[in-house]
Amino acid sequence: MKIAIINGPNLNLVGVREPEVYGNQSLDTYLRQLTARYPLVEFSTFQSNSEGALIDEIHRVGFHVDGIILNAGAYSHYSLAIADAVRAVTAPVVEVHISNVHAREEFRRRSVLAPACKGVIAGFGLDGYRLAVEALLKK
Ligand code: DQA
């Protein structure tokens, strides 16, 4: 079982950035602990602040992993290019948001990626990544 975890802009600052929204723990630390809990799963992790780099990574992993966990940050709300990349690959993609995007500003309520994804997890903090792993393991 291979799972790729792909994170978009500003997620490198989780733990420092708006801790009242995203918490105090760094995403790096959290993901190291999470991936260690699943020794039978082969994980790759990737973060970029650039749209093109995220698309390249989706293309790179998207035909040979069993699932992708994608938090595209603000790109989720408007990147049709990332939505097309999600549609282009064969791996199922689970969209994750740390915060409950539906309880925040109006523009965060719409995801252009969601219709191309297998499912969406939002509002459970960093634990959303674990929930996404569990969802992919059960598929
Ligand atoms: C986010 C929600 C987005 O609206 C925001 O732009 C982010 C993080 C989340 O994980 O809650 O950068 O994707």
Side-chain angles (χ1 to χ4, degrees), residues 9-11 17 21-22 71-77 96-101 104 107-108 129:
N10 301 307
L11 292 163
R17 158 194 194 204
V21 178
Y22 300 109
N71 184 348
Y75 284 136
S76 315
H77 310 304
V96 167
H97 296 286
I98 299 166
S99 63
N100 181 356
V101 283
R104 299 181 65 194
F107 75 88
R108 294 187 204 275
Y129 290 89

Side-chain angles (χ1 to χ4, degrees), residues 49-98:
N49 295 316
S50 307
E51 187 178 27
L54 294 167
I55 292 167
D56 286 342
E57 183 66 5
I58 292 167
H59 292 177
R60 190 184 75 79
V61 300
F63 294 95
H64 67 265
V65 296
D66 301 290
I68 296 175
I69 297 170
L70 175 64
N71 184 348
Y75 284 136
S76 315
H77 310 304
Y78 67 93
S79 176
L80 300 177
I82 295 179
D84 278 350
V86 169
R87 285 198 178 88
V89 298
T90 51
V93 177
V94 179
E95 178 177 350
V96 167
H97 296 286
I98 299 166

